[in-house]
Amino acid sequence: MFCALGSAICFGTASVLQAVAARATAPGTGSGSGVDPRLLLRVLRQWRYLLGLALDGCGFLLELVALRSLPIYAVGAALAASLAVTAVVAVPLLRVRLSRAEWTAVAVVCGGLAMLGLASGAEGKGTGSTALRFGVLAVALAILACGAAAGRLPDRARAAALGLGAGFGFGVVEVAVRLIPDLSPGPLLSNPATYALLIGGGAAFLLLTSALQRGSVTAATAGMVIGETLGPALVGIIWLGDRTRPGLAPLGIAGFALAVLGALALARFGEAPEVPGAAPGALDAAAQPAASGLRHGREHP
């Protein structure tokens, strides 16, 4: 659980940096799709994005350790809680002022995680069938294809669809980790879940970066939270044997619900600020709400 929470801290802090970089990057002028693969190349020129990626790498390693010991539903809820981390980190770094309701949401997330930590059992013993591994790979490919189509939707619907797709992509990563029991080269390369992990993670980053730059951050974040928590949790329970401790299922369900609902409440946070030298169309840091990338906080006057 410490690894899961450490992962949330890394992801939540990285998000503050990544949204600023995404908004400071000039939009593409290519195919007209809301998903521009070259966007990733452009944001890699931003030092904030590179620092965010380094924190994402640390968070991913901690997530891998957590997924080897905890049920997927516990890890997914902890990752959604990085919204609360971003809100708190944004206070000193971006001079964001949180309302009483937002501080309450942070407390609800923390309380939900505490309940979930008490109720969570060990990870399920199921390693998944071959059909499940190929199914996860098919989902990863479908996310990439559907994301390209979602990029052509109208503004708010596009952001929500891209955010949901990104959430499903991160969810594929969570499930795929559990479907890779053997890390030796031969079994690793022959396991469809390995390729699902790579494709799902890449698609998630692409779709989320596009959503942050081209649409409503609030809608994108809410979609992502739903996608990365509910689906993987159900897969873990139904196919991989994840359970709570005996007699603590109600506590676990309540903790999961509180953590996710608190995270969704924090998804109301505003857009990313403009930085000096930002591309035209980015928001004015002095006049507009400050925020983060994956997890956002709204500034109040």
Side-chain angles (χ1 to χ4, degrees):
M1 197 65 184
F2 280 116
C3 287
L5 295 176
S7 179
I9 291 172
C10 289
F11 288 144
T13 305
S15 297
V16 179
L17 303 170
Q18 288 170 332
V20 176
R23 285 289 172 141
T25 302
T29 58
S31 63
S33 170
V35 180
D36 180 8
R38 292 172 296 180
L39 173 62
L40 286 177
L41 298 178
R42 293 194 295 274
V43 296
L44 286 174
R45 301 171 187 170
Q46 300 275 345
W47 69 266
R48 295 174 183 85
Y49 198 85
L50 293 176
L51 181 57
L53 285 180
L55 288 172
D56 281 334
C58 294
F60 181 65
L61 292 177
L62 292 171
E63 178 186 354
L64 292 181
V65 175
L67 285 167
R68 293 289 181 177
S69 304
L70 286 177
I72 293 176
Y73 64 79
V75 179
L79 295 181
S82 59
L83 278 163
V85 174
T86 293
V88 174
V89 170
V91 172
L93 293 187
L94 297 178
R95 292 175 298 192
V96 172
R97 295 171 57 193
L98 303 183
S99 69
R100 183 178 301 175
E102 289 163 345
W103 281 118
T104 300
V106 171
V108 167
V109 169
C110 294
L113 288 178
M115 296 166 62
L116 198 57
L118 291 173
S120 296
E123 66 167 339
K125 301 303 180 183
T127 58
S129 63
T130 300
L132 181 59
R133 293 185 176 91
F134 277 105
V136 172
L137 176 58
V139 169
L141 293 171
I143 290 169
L144 197 57
C146 293
R152 301 178 183 275
L153 294 173
D155 295 337
R156 189 172 183 84
R158 176 177 59 202
L162 290 174
L164 184 63
F168 283 137
F170 290 128
V172 164
V173 172
E174 295 172 23
V175 175
V177 169
R178 288 282 298 277
L179 299 178
I180 306 175
D182 191 341
L183 298 179
S184 56
L188 187 65
L189 293 175
S190 63
N191 190 338
T194 302
Y195 304 99
L197 187 152
L198 297 174
I199 295 172
F205 272 109
L206 174 59
L207 297 183
L208 184 61
T209 303
S210 299
L212 291 177
Q213 189 189 52
R214 295 172 178 267
S216 166
V217 172
T218 302
T221 305
M224 186 195 64
V225 168
I226 293 172
E228 74 176 347
T229 53
L230 300 184
L234 291 175
V235 172
I237 293 171
I238 296 173
W239 284 290
L240 299 177
D242 288 346
R243 296 291 183 271
T244 62
R245 299 186 188 198
L248 294 183
L251 183 66
I253 294 171
F256 181 86
L258 286 176
V260 173
L261 290 175
L264 288 173
L266 293 172
R268 299 182 301 110
F269 284 14
E271 307 290 346
E274 180 179 317
V275 295
L283 300 181
D284 182 353
Q288 296 294 334
S292 64
L294 306 184
R295 327 292 184 189
H296 301 270
R298 183 173 61 190
E299 183 176 18
H300 294 269

